[in-house]
Amino acid sequence: GKDALVIFTPSGKRGRFALGTPVLSAARALGVDLDSVCGGRGICSKCQISPGYGSFAKHGVTVDADALSDWNAVEERYKSKRGLIEGRRLGCQAKVQGDVVIDVPPESQLHKQVIRKRAEARQITLDPSVTLHYVEVAEPDMHDPSGDFERLTAALRDQWQIGQLRADLSVLTTLQPVLRKGGWKVTVALHRAEESDIPRIMHIWPGLYEGTVYGMAVDLGSTTIAGHLCDLRTGEVLASSGLMNPQIRFGEDLMSRVSYSMMNPTGAADMTTAVRAGMNALFTQVAAEAEIDIGLIMDAVFVCNPVMHHLLLGIDPFELGQAPFALATSGSLHLTAHDLELQMHPSARVYLLPCIAGHVGADAAAVALSEAPEKSEDLVLIVDVGTNAEILLGNREKVLACSSPTGPAFEGAQISSGQRAAPGAIERVEIDPATKEPRFKVIGSDLWSDEPGFDEAVASTGITGICGSGIIEMVAEMRIAGIVDGPGLIGSPAQTGTTRCFLDGRTHSYMVWDGSATGGPVITVTNRDIREIQMAKAALYSGARLLMDKFGVDHVDRIVLAGAFGAHISPKHAMVLGMIPDVPLDKVTSAGNAAGTGARIALLNRGARAEVEKTVAQIHKIETAIEPRFQEHFVNASNIPNAVEGFPHLFK
Ligand code: FES
């Protein structure tokens, strides 16, 4: 028989096919990514393609107007009823009649590229664990006594080449009415954690289901729980939302929660109940925001630190509170929504990323997935700043990880005028080195405090305190202006030449803002505040420095600040403080919520789950507590910026 050349763009894949071959079949034979839910019946329109006509010098072909078959009845019916964009054909109906160049538009690509906001970030290829398949099932017959499920299995084998099948009981209980309601035509949602898994039917709809299915990517932090609701057919984020972790009432930080579980017989169970309730509140909130049925959320990925990980699972975190910090399990987990009492689809699946070590959790694994240090040409230091800093250092050669107990100072806690980042909090600071006068910006206003209109701009919130990024800038600016010295002492009025410095007990404090005349707060920085920041930044720096020792280097090529807090830190001030090692300032970037992004990647791409499992297995874990040099680095790093290390990019 005669054949013709078929070239697909943008993939460039090409092959020769017998005349009369449907475009969808040619695409499948070549491994071209062309979507289909209805299995080529001309009813889902997911297989749309655009044939090109004329001369394609690049490909060495000329395409005639009749390179594809005329519209058949099925395609005509689809077009008249539902409409098709000009120039588009249904790939399952149009047949090859001559040499042809066929473009697969983005929305018809099965493994679409999901656009990420940051230009330098790698794109996500859509390959979710839940897929939809329309299928036509043989009716039961007295002469062929097989079950409805067996006939459905046979239909999926014939029409979708899916050999074996499992079904949850909840599907079996609805199977018969749904098959009959759909006139033996149904759409099934299949779950496969890996392509080689036996698929499991999670849901069955009568007829062609034209809706979509959803997944949740959740970053479960000790302070906040943040989630992204994603469309599993497009990869799009439909809604993002966050709420306070309800466990806060059992303790502000992780260690206080671990001790709560030690002190109270039902402590761990109470916290498990609280975090699961919080999770359900988040799911409800996000579903309401996107106006979708919560029951259509069929997959979820969670990332969290080890203590949160254990409490979510209902495992007492007791062992994580004492050396040698053994995890109950560090591997990734495939669970059901039912296991975790989550209100999603009743058969929904849940995936937890692996933990790296007893102090370095699945959240750090998610950061590694998002930032891919193991693929980096240059040596990258990734710092996720929170009450516990997770630090990764690596390149294509190897990746090291550790965590360092920075404490809550960077969240504004244990700072006399500290507060969480909220309207009214000071977030940007400049101090004039000559006059020692401060100017600042507060969250909720774009004006500096010495600009006209500032008072009106902050009238509704007032000036309430200093947030974490504000305190970093404040202390760094005080150091630059000579108000505080290297060892961390605030100078007297005589030493600094300003009465903003005043004796406050046995040490001096610096007056930032006196709102007492109008009933507002008096905002000062005390020498104790400086001390707290010194401890926090020294913990962070010495963790990073220790990893550099282990790597055998004394500088890094670039630094990525991860986490919501990292996004707000000024690189210059962090370096003046000696929080991060010296690099050119333009080599410090913010990755935003990299852990949340990692969760989203694992949700939308099954292969990424295997990838992160492999990466985590290869990461070298460093336990800071037992490293003798950690203490030495810590002492040196307590100075601002450092007692021994130089910062040539800051101080030439
Ligand atoms: Fe469904 Fe072509 S595959 S319309």
Side-chain angles (χ1 to χ4, degrees):
K2 296 182 81 182
D3 62 6
L5 178 65
V6 181
I7 300 169
F8 285 97
T9 58
S11 67
K13 289 183 178 159
R14 53 169 69 205
R16 298 200 74 89
F17 292 91
L19 300 189
T21 305
V23 172
L24 180 62
S25 310
R28 285 194 174 152
L30 291 175
V32 168
D33 229 13
L34 183 54
D35 199 4
S36 160
V37 167
C38 74
R41 291 163 197 286
I43 52 178
C44 74
S45 86
K46 303 291 181 200
C47 62
Q48 291 182 39
I49 46 112
S50 300
Y53 297 104
S55 161
F56 291 83
K58 191 170 134 217
H59 300 297
V61 290
T62 301
V63 181
D64 298 333
D66 55 3
L68 290 184
S69 59
D70 285 344
W71 294 66
N72 65 17
V74 174
E75 208 177 2
E76 287 287 6
R77 179 154 32 93
Y78 187 90
K79 185 173 184 164
S80 64
K81 272 178 133 175
R82 317 292 295 269
L84 268 177
I85 297 174
E86 188 63 37
R88 290 276 177 87
R89 300 286 304 265
L90 294 183
C92 62
Q93 302 304 316
K95 297 179 184 66
V96 177
Q97 304 283 27
D99 292 353
V100 65
V101 175
I102 290 170
D103 186 53
V104 181
E107 62 273 27
S108 299
Q109 291 168 14
L110 182 56
H111 300 284
K112 306 170 192 30
Q113 293 293 303
V114 178
I115 303 306
R116 287 179 63 183
K117 283 194 208 96
R118 283 165 58 225
E120 76 274 23
R122 61 198 179 125
Q123 300 305 324
I124 308 170
T125 301
L126 191 61
D127 181 19
S129 60
V130 183
T131 51
L132 298 179
H133 305 265
Y134 170 85
V135 64
E136 297 185 356
V137 182
E139 292 186 34
D141 182 340
M142 290 287 277
H143 303 290
D144 173 20
S146 61
D148 282 355
F149 178 68
E150 285 65 34
R151 264 174 285 104
L152 172 62
T153 307
L156 277 162
R157 185 182 55 229
D158 295 346
Q159 294 160 43
W160 286 96
Q161 291 73 51
I162 289 166
Q164 277 175 295
L165 208 57
R166 292 181 290 185
D168 286 340
L169 183 58
S170 58
V171 170
L172 294 177
T173 54
T174 59
L175 181 64
Q176 295 202 309
V178 172
L179 276 169
R180 283 154 185 83
K181 187 175 171 204
W184 304 97
K185 300 175 175 69
V186 291
T187 306
V188 294
L190 296 184
H191 179 271
R192 271 172 292 190
E194 285 171 36
E195 188 61 32
S196 57
D197 283 357
I198 297 176
R200 177 188 296 275
I201 304 187
M202 305 181 75
H203 198 95
I204 176 163
W205 291 268
L208 175 71
Y209 171 62
E210 299 202 58
T212 185
V213 289
Y214 305 96
M216 277 287 280
V218 181
D219 178 10
L220 169 55
S222 21
T223 312
T224 53
I225 310 176
H228 303 292
L229 178 76
C230 299
D231 183 326
L232 292 181
R233 287 201 49 83
T234 63
E236 204 186 332
V237 177
L238 301 172
S240 297
S241 205
L243 48 81
M244 287 291 247
N245 186 333
Q247 287 182 347
I248 293 256
R249 67 174 185 274
F250 302 106
E252 276 266 335
D253 57 49
L254 288 175
M255 280 310 131
S256 54
R257 282 180 226 170
V258 174
S259 49
Y260 180 85
S261 81
M262 291 177 180
M263 309 299 224
N264 299 279
T266 63
D270 293 346
M271 287 189 279
T272 296
T273 307
V275 74
R276 290 181 180 175
M279 206 62 81
N280 282 324
L282 176 71
F283 279 45
T284 308
Q285 189 173 312
V286 170
E289 202 176 302
E291 298 180 357
I292 65 138
D293 174 0
I294 198 167
L296 287 172
I297 304 178
M298 295 197 170
D299 197 12
V301 169
F302 287 90
V303 303
C304 44
N305 63 52
V307 174
M308 284 296 122
H309 177 271
H310 279 38
L311 287 172
L312 174 69
L313 294 174
I315 299 171
D316 193 320
F318 178 79
E319 294 297 337
L320 297 174
Q322 56 182 30
F325 312 107
L327 287 154
T329 173
S330 61
S332 62
L333 292 169
H334 292 273
L335 304 167
T336 65
H338 183 80
D339 291 333
L340 300 179
E341 302 169 294
L342 299 177
Q343 288 149 21
M344 315 156 60
H345 186 278
S347 295
R349 292 304 194 262
V350 175
Y351 175 77
L352 265 77
L353 266 71
C355 289
I356 297 177
H359 271 152
V360 193
D363 46 359
V367 170
L369 179 59
S370 169
E371 296 305 311
E374 79 286 357
K375 295 196 178 102
S376 177
E377 293 284 345
D378 49 10
L379 185 61
V380 57
L381 178 73
I382 305 169
V383 187
D384 195 338
V385 191
T387 48
N388 215 43
E390 279 97 35
I391 310 171
L392 296 165
L393 174 71
N395 59 16
R396 297 171 65 147
E397 216 177 290
K398 63 182 171 194
V399 178
L400 311 180
C402 74
S403 77
S404 204
T406 41
F410 292 143
E411 293 184 352
Q414 286 167 19
I415 300 294
S416 60
S417 294
Q419 66 158 94
R420 283 188 202 287
I426 294 176
E427 59 165 350
R428 296 270 97 102
V429 183
E430 280 178 7
I431 298 177
D432 186 321
T435 64
K436 322 286 184 207
E437 285 300 297
R439 69 202 285 260
F440 53 82
K441 277 185 183 178
V442 302
I443 298 177
S445 159
D446 283 334
L447 296 173
W448 286 95
S449 54
D450 56 355
E451 286 179 317
F454 175 80
D455 292 343
E456 294 76 41
V458 299
S460 62
T461 59
I463 300 162
T464 50
I466 312 175
C467 71
S469 63
I471 192 78
I472 287 172
E473 296 197 8
M474 183 71 77
V475 179
E477 288 284 321
M478 286 171 72
R479 179 77 186 95
I480 295 168
I483 295 166
V484 68
D485 65 8
L489 269 184
I490 299 177
S492 65
Q495 286 163 326
T496 59
T498 174
T499 53
R500 283 193 176 264
C501 291
F502 63 98
L503 195 62
D504 189 6
R506 306 170 75 167
T507 52
H508 291 90
S509 292
Y510 176 71
M511 174 65 69
V512 180
W513 173 260
D514 185 352
S516 57
T518 52
V522 178
I523 297 174
T524 63
V525 178
T526 67
N527 222 114
R528 242 202 95 151
D529 296 339
I530 304 276
R531 196 77 210 131
E532 292 289 341
I533 289 298
Q534 283 176 288
M535 306 289 263
K537 74 97 180 175
L540 183 61
Y541 185 86
S542 39
R545 197 65 191 78
L546 188 66
L547 292 189
M548 288 160 70
D549 285 354
K550 294 279 168 187
F551 211 98
V553 294
D554 57 12
H555 76 279
V556 300
D557 296 321
R558 60 188 175 98
I559 298 176
V560 175
L561 299 172
F565 180 53
H568 291 105
I569 299 176
S570 138
K572 177 186 139 196
H573 291 103
M575 220 179 282
V576 167
L577 211 54
M579 226 173 118
I580 51 175
D582 178 74
V583 291
L585 278 178
D586 63 358
K587 291 288 183 188
V588 186
T589 55
S590 157
N593 181 7
T597 304
R600 194 156 60 89
I601 295 172
L603 176 69
L604 296 178
N605 184 300
R606 291 176 298 175
R609 301 180 186 183
E611 192 184 312
V612 70
E613 288 163 15
K614 191 169 144 228
T615 305
V616 165
Q618 289 168 349
I619 290 178
H620 303 258
K621 297 101 196 165
I622 310 295
E623 183 54 68
T624 53
I626 56 164
E627 290 290 338
R629 293 213 66 191
F630 183 79
Q631 206 47 41
E632 185 188 329
H633 287 314
F634 186 90
V635 171
N636 291 335
S638 301
N639 248 55
I640 309 171
N642 196 295
V644 294
E645 314 264 352
F647 284 78
H649 286 101
L650 283 177
F651 312 102
K652 301 250 157 44

